[in-house]
Amino acid sequence: MRILVLGVGNILLSDEGIGVRIVEALEQRYHLPECVEVLDGGTAGMELIGAMADRDHLIIADVVLSSQQPGNILVLRDEEVPALFTRKISPHQLGLSDVLSALHLTDEFPKRLTLVGIVPESLEPRIGLTETGKAALEPALQKVIEVLRSEGLEIIEKEESLHA
């Protein structure tokens, strides 16, 4: 099994960086099986095609633009993800949409695709998440862990993070 957890975002634009912060927390706080790779994709686009190709499951953590309340978490699966790219849901839409389209064309599209999306409060230039973004980080991280566990994987919190 080959799983990639990809966090995307720009940490210089407040809540836009939450996807990156989620994958950082996942790596720092949890023991992950060897079949799970975690990647900070930052604001990269087509450069991610090799990392995303031929995965059994691609899990993306990112902000999503939605009419829902800031801080809400959306979990979209498989065909729901590319379908929502017909309207702008993510500041990285162009890059991710292009990569997903290219993977379809090359028959390297992931077998399963999950987007854990967080509705941002702010995308203004500022280092650090808003209070709403900070409050959404842990529940979004837990959604990513739920998706990993749904694959039958054992995801164990590291001892040192239990006492932090």
Side-chain angles (χ1 to χ4, degrees):
M1 186 177 304
R2 295 182 64 232
I3 297 173
L4 175 64
V5 181
L6 175 66
V8 290
N10 186 337
I11 61 170
L12 302 176
L13 299 176
S14 51
D15 290 343
E16 230 280 296
I18 198 164
V20 171
R21 299 302 181 212
I22 289 168
V23 296
E24 286 175 351
L26 180 64
E27 273 193 311
Q28 290 168 2
R29 294 177 35 205
Y30 290 89
H31 293 286
L32 301 170
E34 283 187 25
C35 65
V36 177
E37 183 181 348
V38 178
L39 179 62
D40 170 355
T43 58
M46 290 301 283
E47 308 88 82
L48 297 172
I49 195 165
M52 293 168 65
D54 285 326
R55 295 291 178 158
D56 292 302
H57 198 158
L58 171 60
I59 304 163
I60 302 170
D62 194 5
V63 295
V64 292
L65 303 178
S66 166
S67 60
Q68 293 189 25
Q69 286 290 107
N72 277 8
I73 300 164
L74 303 153
V75 179
L76 306 172
R77 291 183 171 83
D78 298 318
E79 62 279 346
E80 295 172 329
V81 178
L84 279 177
F85 281 127
T86 59
R87 62 180 218 269
K88 190 160 177 60
I89 62 166
S90 165
H92 309 104
Q93 175 179 323
L94 183 60
L96 288 177
S97 181
D98 287 346
V99 175
L100 293 172
S101 293
L103 291 173
H104 266 300
L105 291 172
T106 59
D107 290 326
E108 297 174 302
F109 199 81
K111 291 184 179 83
R112 284 177 306 291
L113 175 61
T114 303
L115 171 67
V116 176
I118 304 87
V119 179
E121 179 181 319
S122 171
L123 300 176
E124 295 298 314
R126 188 185 117 203
I127 295 175
L129 302 175
T130 63
E131 290 305 314
T132 301
K134 288 176 190 173
L137 194 143
E138 186 63 28
L141 173 61
Q142 293 309 311
K143 291 287 185 195
V144 170
I145 291 167
E146 284 174 28
V147 172
L148 289 168
R149 287 181 174 152
S150 75
E151 292 286 353
L153 300 173
E154 189 173 20
I155 310 299
I156 302 168
E157 194 162 2
K158 294 177 180 176
E159 281 293 318
E160 57 272 17
S161 68
L162 293 174
H163 307 292

